[in-house]
């Protein structure tokens, strides 16, 4: 078998450059006898599907040679990938071949947090889960079961749990990610930015990036459009305490002091208003409360902002004028991971207001109006109405949260208030890495009667589960239809291209079987997911067979800019762009954003910042051997002068100690002038502590472990995580 394997992968390394190094890595682990035995066909098959190495869901084409997965490329018909995948997507083959994958359902037979499991059949696993769920429902009501999930794969489990009667389901993509941004834009324009974002990057003549580190943040369409804009000669302005890859493309790089962006944004708006450079016609037509807004900006001069931000007044004025020069094709990018300092919804609102002054909402080179195809939902029976409201946000203490707050469910699980939560389902989210303060997560888990984790590898969160259900990876399964809201409407299909190597099953199958075991089988009137697809697509006047063959069906493109006739309407209380927000005022918040200082690191300590690597996704790809071969551990970026003072050299290991005395795993120093001296920076997702992730176990350090402190956004419950301070300890001083 091994010679067979090596031959296959040597061919790969000759054929494709991008995964060449990965192929060599894979040849050591790759095809199991079971996989080889299952190989159905000979010759090369090319099967369209969608990528799931991150949630962008790029259209892809997988090549399978003699039944063995060979390579994955972009689908040229797909508007998201435009025929090209990012490096992570190309390395997706490594997810299928990962030798550390979960293979069978597991039930714990010891205390939580200790590794003692026995393998069970799927029927035994569902019988066990259903029995526990019935017991929780009898004692506490169905609302005492919650679901955490991330990505489209959670759709069918949501359906089963709604049928069971709980409203409690949340994703970290809200309170740990884009929630504050969406709240800030909703309060201003009455609408979200969406995902994929409705940013017209490719047509922007001036692009302002506040932290958004495109190029490291690899969301495919955005990175390609960024390259288009740069190629078209767009002016790029980057504000980041770290000289990011995007900063390398910038005409103006502003090395801002972390946590002071709101001061910069206010000063920019001050200049636009004071110098009369804003889009007066647009503001007069669409704005509400502009006079009150303008009055409140009066004191936020560039001279005021200078000592806060470290950005000189002439630079603030020059960049504001540059933005005005290109309006309305100036895009101040709203960012995505906005949970930084706890006042993030207000910072995002300031970004929204700056865009409003420039007239970019609705304009070419600004924010377009996306469209989607009309594919009706499956006509299921009505769900039972939960007896109690969602548990995460009692009395609407976060009045502008429009999605469920993960950390609110966690808190209710700890306190039992407003009512107890006793069962968690966790689908494709590594809560110990994704939520701040892992001790709180562990405390909540200790209060549960049931923790079910559905994962593909033995992740940290799986290590705490009572039942672990092994999922087939995206290359081995169908997921729900992706009816995308984008520049042009389309529907895309994820479908299996190879067989799973063990007893892994897709989420839809698990969700259906669980419903049947719970006595809720009537919520799944379809036999299998292909019947479900066919039903929905037929209702939309489309053909499943065609989608299956092409992977993507595109709808007719419609206008996307106001200038082409798209009506500009605003779902705010005033029906206008709210420069001044009465709803914020009524709820006791600043109607126009106000800057307040954040706590600074004490002498000798540094603010801990983190972000993305182009070749990894969160904490989910470090075990993928192809991607690990490109980046095996993270580094800690330290300002070169600071490193010299601390007598640290690049390549040496240190440990980080945070304000709560948590000590990290060892991490390599990267001494560089590309970061300010008051902060340090690392890529998120490394420093795994789950032993079953054999390859990546204890490689690099985990930012999540050091994020013991977080600042909660009073508007919407987001958890600002850039509020932790660390000192560096040379590894050699440790015994
Ligand atoms: N400290 C810190 N915390 C953060 C961030 C940060 O930068 N630093 N980023 C925040 C942001 S922006 C986000 S969006 C969230 C992301 O948070 P998550 O989406 O929770 O990301 P991961 O921690 O990678 O967890 C993904 C889990 O899914 C599993 N998985 C992978 N593929 C599959 C599959 O096909 N099926 C199933 N069932 N499971 C699968 C992986 O093994 C892993 O356990 O984290 C947030 N939290
Ligand atoms: N390769 C890859 N790409 C990804 C992901 C991935 O896991 N891997 N995840 C995707 C997801 S879900 C998200 S949410 C996005 C996240 O990506 P983005 O939204 O682009 O960025 P953040 O993670 O918020 O921020 C990281 C950047 O902000 C800078 N920064 C830190 N503090 C401050 C500050 O106070 N002010 C300013 N101006 N800058 C600051 C850091 O130096 C770094 O450059 O990436 C997406 N793209
Ligand atoms: S951006 Fe990259 S990892 Fe994400 S779906 Fe697209 S190709 Fe896959
Ligand atoms: Mo995110």
């Amino acid at each position: 078998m091994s010679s067979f394997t090596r031959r296959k992968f040597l061919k790969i390394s000759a054929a494709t450059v991008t995964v060449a190094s990965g192929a060599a890595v894979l040849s050591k682990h790759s095809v199991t006898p079971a996989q080889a035995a299952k190989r159905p066909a000979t010759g090369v098959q090319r099967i369209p599907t969608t990528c799931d190495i991150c949630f962008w869901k790029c259209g892809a084409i997988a090549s399978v040679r003699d039944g063995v997965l060979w390579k994955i490329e972009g689908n040229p018909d797909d508007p998201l990938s435009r025929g090209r995948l990012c490096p992570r997507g190309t390395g997706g083959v490594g997810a299928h071949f990962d030798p550390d994958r979960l293979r069978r359902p597991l039930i714990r037979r010891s205390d939580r947090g200790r590794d003692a499991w026995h393998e069970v059949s799927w029927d035994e696993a569902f019988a066990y889960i259903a029995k526990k769920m019935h017991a929780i429902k009898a004692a506490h009501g169905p609302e005492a079961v919650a679901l955490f999930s991330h990505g489209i794969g959670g759709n069918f489990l949501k359906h089963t749990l709604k049928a069971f009667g709980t409203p409690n389901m949340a994703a970290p993509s809200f309170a740990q990610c884009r929630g504050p941004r969406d709240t800030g834009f909703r309060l201003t324009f009455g609408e979200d930015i969406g995902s994929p974002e409705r940013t017209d990057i490719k047509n922007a003549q001036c692009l302002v990036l506040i932290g958004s580190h495109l190029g490291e943040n690899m969301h495919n369409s955005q990175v390609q459009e960024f390259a288009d804009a740069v190629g078209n000669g767009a002016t790029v302005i980057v504000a980041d305490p770290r000289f990011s890859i995007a900063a390398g493309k910038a005409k103006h790089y502003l090395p801002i002091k972390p946590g002071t962006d709101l001061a910069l944004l206010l000063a920019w708006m001050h200049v636009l208003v004071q110098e009369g450079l804003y889009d007066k016609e647009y503001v007069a037509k669409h704005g509400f409360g502009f006079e009150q807004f303008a009055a409140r900006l009066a004191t936020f001069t560039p001279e005021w902002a200078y000592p806060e931000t470290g950005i000189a007044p002439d630079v603030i004025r020059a960049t504001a004028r540059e933005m005005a020069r290109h309006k309305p094709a100036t895009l101040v990018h709203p960012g995505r991971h906005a949970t930084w300092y706890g006042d993030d919804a207000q910072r995002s609102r300031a970004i929204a207001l700056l865009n409003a002054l420039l007239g970019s909402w609705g304009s070419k080179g600004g924010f377009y109006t996306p469209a989607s195809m009309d594919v009706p939902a499956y006509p299921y029976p009505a769900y039972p109405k939960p007896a109690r409201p969602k548990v995460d946000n009692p009395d609407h203490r976060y009045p502008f949260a429009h999605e469920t707050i993960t950390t609110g469910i966690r808190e209710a699980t700890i306190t039992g208030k407003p009512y107890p939560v006793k069962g968690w389902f966790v689908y494709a989210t590594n809560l110990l890495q994704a939520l701040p303060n892992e001790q709180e997560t562990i405390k909540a888990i200790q209060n549960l009667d049931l923790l079910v984790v559905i994962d593909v590898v033995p992740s940290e969160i799986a290590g705490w589960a009572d039942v672990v259900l092994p999922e087939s990876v995206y290359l081995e399964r169908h997921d729900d239809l992706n009816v995308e809201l984008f520049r042009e409407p389309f529907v895309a299909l994820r479908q299996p291209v190879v067989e799973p190597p063990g007893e892994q099953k897709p989420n839809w199958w698990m969700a259906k079987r669980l419903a049947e075991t719970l006595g809720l089988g009537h919520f799944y009137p379809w036999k299998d997911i292909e019947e479900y697809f066919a039903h929905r697509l037929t209702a939309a006047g489309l053909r499943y067979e065609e989608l299956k063959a092409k992977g993507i069906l595109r709808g007719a493109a419609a206008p996307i800019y106001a200038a082409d006739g798209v009506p500009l309407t605003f779902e705010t209380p005033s029906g206008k762009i709210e420069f001044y927000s009465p709803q914020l005022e009524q709820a006791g918040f600043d109607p126009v954003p106000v800057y307040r200082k954040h706590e600074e690191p004490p002498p000798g300590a540094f603010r801990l910042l983190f972000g993305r690597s182009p070749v990894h996704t969160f904490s989910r790809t470090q075990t993928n051997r192809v991607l690990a071969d490109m980046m095996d551990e993270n580094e800690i970026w330290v300002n070169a002068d600071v490193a010299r003072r601390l007598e640290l050299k690049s390549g040496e290991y240190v440990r980080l100690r945070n304000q709560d005395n948590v000590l990290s795993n060892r991490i390599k120093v990267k001494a560089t002038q590309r970061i300010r001296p008051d902060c340090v920076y690392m890529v998120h997702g490394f420093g795994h502590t789950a032993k079953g992730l054999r390859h990546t176990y204890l490689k690099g350090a985990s930012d999540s472990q050091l994020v013991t402190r977080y600042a909660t956004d009073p508007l919407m419950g987001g958890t600002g995580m850039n509020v932790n301070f660390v000192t560096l300890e040379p590894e050699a001083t440790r015994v």
Side-chain angles (χ1 to χ4, degrees):
M1 224 18 85
S2 63
S3 64
F4 162 83
T5 303
R6 187 159 300 116
R7 190 159 45 84
K8 285 286 164 280
F9 285 100
L10 286 177
K11 279 187 197 162
I12 292 176
S13 52
T16 62
V17 181
T18 331
V19 295
S21 57
V25 182
L26 282 179
S27 66
K28 284 184 271 172
H29 309 283
S30 59
V31 189
T32 63
Q35 278 170 304
K38 278 184 188 170
R39 64 197 157 116
T42 52
V44 175
Q45 291 169 280
R46 286 167 54 78
I47 307 166
T49 185
T50 64
C51 180
D52 190 39
I53 298 296
C54 82
F55 304 116
W56 208 252
K57 303 189 266 307
C58 293
I61 296 183
S63 294
V64 178
R65 182 184 270 186
D66 300 340
V68 179
L69 179 63
W70 172 26
K71 64 175 176 180
I72 314 172
E73 297 157 297
N75 183 346
D77 285 341
D78 168 45
L80 286 172
S81 72
R82 303 195 290 187
R84 283 151 60 197
L85 300 184
C86 87
R88 298 172 295 156
T90 309
V93 279
H96 168 66
F97 289 115
D98 190 337
D100 294 340
R101 287 179 60 177
L102 295 163
R103 283 163 188 273
R104 291 211 176 79
L106 302 169
I107 294 186
R108 168 179 303 289
R109 52 175 166 79
S110 72
D111 297 340
R112 285 206 186 101
R114 288 195 14 237
D115 294 335
W117 310 89
H118 56 121
E119 293 185 346
V120 295
S121 69
W122 280 101
D123 282 347
E124 284 173 285
F126 288 128
Y128 179 92
I129 295 168
K131 195 171 155 210
K132 291 267 187 179
M133 286 175 75
H134 284 311
I136 292 171
K137 184 173 177 175
H140 307 282
E143 306 87 5
V145 176
L147 169 69
F148 297 87
S149 75
H150 197 181
I152 198 169
N155 284 12
F156 295 102
L157 281 159
K158 281 183 201 160
H159 174 57
T160 296
L161 287 177
K162 281 183 198 160
F164 182 69
T166 179
N168 292 313
M169 28 202 89
S173 47
F174 182 70
Q176 282 68 48
C177 177
R178 57 174 170 72
R181 170 191 87 178
D182 290 344
T183 295
F185 272 71
R186 270 185 181 224
L187 285 165
T188 310
F189 294 110
E191 265 184 277
D192 285 3
I193 298 296
S195 171
E197 284 81 0
R198 46 163 61 181
T199 45
D200 194 13
I201 298 176
K202 70 176 176 193
N203 293 310
Q205 287 166 27
C206 177
L207 178 65
V208 185
L209 299 175
I210 301 168
S212 303
H213 56 327
L214 295 179
E216 290 156 292
N217 159 354
M218 259 340 252
H219 276 165
N220 194 352
S221 328
Q222 294 214 8
V223 178
Q224 292 192 37
E225 291 201 17
F226 181 38
D228 292 343
V230 171
N232 293 337
T235 299
V236 178
I237 299 170
V238 171
D240 196 312
R242 184 183 64 98
F243 191 84
S244 59
I245 289 184
K249 310 284 176 212
K251 176 172 171 192
H252 300 277
Y253 166 58
L254 282 50
I256 191 166
K257 182 189 202 175
T260 67
D261 299 83
L262 186 46
L264 175 66
L265 288 157
L266 291 168
W268 271 336
M269 294 196 282
H270 172 98
V271 175
L272 293 182
V273 171
Q274 200 226 0
E275 299 188 6
L277 298 174
Y278 64 98
D279 190 331
K280 294 189 188 111
E281 201 183 315
Y282 182 94
V283 169
K285 189 163 168 209
H286 301 297
F288 170 87
F290 178 77
E291 293 308 321
Q292 288 149 292
F293 161 81
R296 290 186 186 226
L297 285 179
T299 55
F300 299 129
T301 62
E303 285 68 22
W304 161 82
Y306 183 25
E308 300 301 327
T309 59
I311 309 301
D314 58 330
V315 175
I316 297 178
R317 287 204 169 81
T319 42
R321 289 171 193 150
E322 184 92 51
M323 289 181 222
R325 202 154 36 243
H326 300 286
K327 72 176 185 298
T330 295
L331 174 64
V332 187
H333 195 290
R336 184 176 176 105
H337 182 214
T339 44
W340 288 354
Y341 300 98
D343 58 355
D344 306 302
Q346 288 283 16
R347 184 187 66 252
S348 298
R349 188 165 135 70
I351 294 175
L353 290 169
L354 180 57
N355 278 295
L357 286 176
L358 295 161
S360 69
W361 185 268
S363 298
K364 188 170 180 181
F367 296 83
Y368 64 80
T369 305
S372 80
M373 276 164 102
D374 185 15
V375 181
Y378 194 92
Y380 289 123
Y383 298 122
K385 193 171 172 351
R388 291 172 290 187
K390 288 191 299 169
V391 78
D392 63 306
N393 192 7
D395 304 322
H396 296 281
R397 63 180 165 177
Y398 304 116
F400 300 102
H402 53 274
E403 290 182 28
T404 308
I405 303 164
T406 45
T407 27
I409 297 181
R410 181 176 74 177
E411 192 181 324
T413 310
I414 295 172
T415 62
K417 293 189 174 95
Y419 56 82
V421 177
K422 288 292 174 186
W424 283 10
F425 277 78
V426 177
Y427 176 85
T429 170
N430 191 354
L431 294 181
L432 290 167
Q433 294 261 14
L435 304 187
N437 196 332
E438 64 175 16
Q439 287 312 316
E440 281 182 50
T441 308
I442 291 168
K443 205 165 152 193
I445 290 172
Q446 302 286 20
N447 275 355
L448 295 173
D449 294 341
L450 175 67
L451 173 56
V452 180
V453 171
I454 299 153
D455 209 310
V456 291
V457 290
S459 60
E460 282 80 14
I461 187 67
W464 288 91
D466 302 312
V467 185
V468 180
L469 303 179
E471 189 170 32
S472 38
V473 302
Y474 69 103
L475 294 159
E476 303 154 356
R477 69 171 193 249
H478 289 102
D479 272 331
D480 204 350
L481 296 174
N482 182 26
V483 186
E484 198 64 284
L485 195 64
F486 195 54
R487 287 178 176 281
E488 56 182 292
F490 67 92
V491 52
L493 179 69
R494 177 169 296 147
Q495 60 183 335
V497 300
V498 276
E499 296 272 347
E503 288 177 27
Q504 300 92 342
K505 293 287 185 186
N507 58 70
W508 67 264
W509 182 90
M510 292 183 219
K512 185 173 192 292
R513 282 295 276 272
L514 175 61
E516 287 160 359
T517 315
L518 286 165
L520 300 167
H522 55 291
F523 279 91
Y524 283 88
W526 37 270
K527 180 168 75 13
D528 60 27
I529 196 167
E530 294 198 89
E531 192 178 304
Y532 161 91
F533 292 151
H535 190 286
R536 283 188 66 192
L537 290 162
T538 306
L542 301 167
R543 284 180 49 239
Y544 172 54
E545 288 308 317
E546 193 185 347
L547 180 60
K548 196 171 165 176
K550 293 183 177 162
I552 278 155
L553 298 178
R554 299 167 80 145
I560 58 172
Y561 306 123
D564 297 331
V566 180
L568 269 189
T569 53
F570 304 99
E571 302 282 322
T572 54
S574 64
K576 299 215 160 196
I577 301 173
E578 299 208 335
F579 283 93
Y580 186 92
S581 172
Q583 44 171 345
L584 277 176
E585 187 167 45
Q586 274 151 27
F589 300 111
D590 299 323
V592 175
V594 173
Y595 172 75
R596 291 182 185 83
K597 281 181 201 291
H598 293 292
E599 186 188 339
E600 288 187 31
F606 308 92
R607 188 182 295 278
L608 176 67
L609 303 180
F610 38 82
R612 307 290 179 238
S613 150
V615 298
H616 283 287
T617 303
F618 315 128
S619 81
R620 56 188 271 159
T621 51
Q622 291 73 21
T623 175
N624 175 322
R625 303 301 198 269
V626 179
L627 298 176
D629 201 46
M630 291 189 258
M631 180 180 177
D632 211 18
E633 58 183 288
N634 55 356
E635 299 173 310
I636 185 83
W637 293 42
V638 183
N639 174 273
D641 301 331
V642 170
R644 207 170 303 121
R645 201 174 69 227
L646 298 177
E647 297 179 13
L648 293 171
K649 289 199 183 67
S650 284
E652 284 175 3
Y653 281 102
V654 291
R655 286 175 197 256
L656 311 179
R657 190 184 291 280
N658 80 355
Q659 70 284 336
D660 295 318
N661 222 12
V662 171
L663 189 66
S664 78
N665 190 37
R666 63 179 209 160
I667 180 168
K668 264 185 198 163
V669 169
K670 174 187 169 104
T672 171
Q673 291 295 356
R674 287 173 56 190
I675 188 163
R676 287 173 56 98
D678 50 5
C679 52
V680 292
Y681 173 87
M682 68 161 97
V683 167
H684 167 64
F686 284 84
H688 281 277
T689 54
K691 288 203 179 80
L693 302 175
R694 289 173 299 174
H695 177 77
T696 188
Y697 176 64
L698 292 187
K699 282 193 184 154
S702 160
D703 57 326
S704 308
Q705 276 179 352
L706 296 165
V707 178
T708 49
R709 196 155 75 166
Y710 56 94
T712 305
D713 194 312
L715 272 62
M716 47 61 69
T719 56
M721 298 191 273
N722 290 9
V723 295
N724 292 271
F725 305 137
V726 294
T727 52
L728 309 183
E729 302 188 1
E731 172 68 354
T733 62
R734 283 178 48 90
V735 189

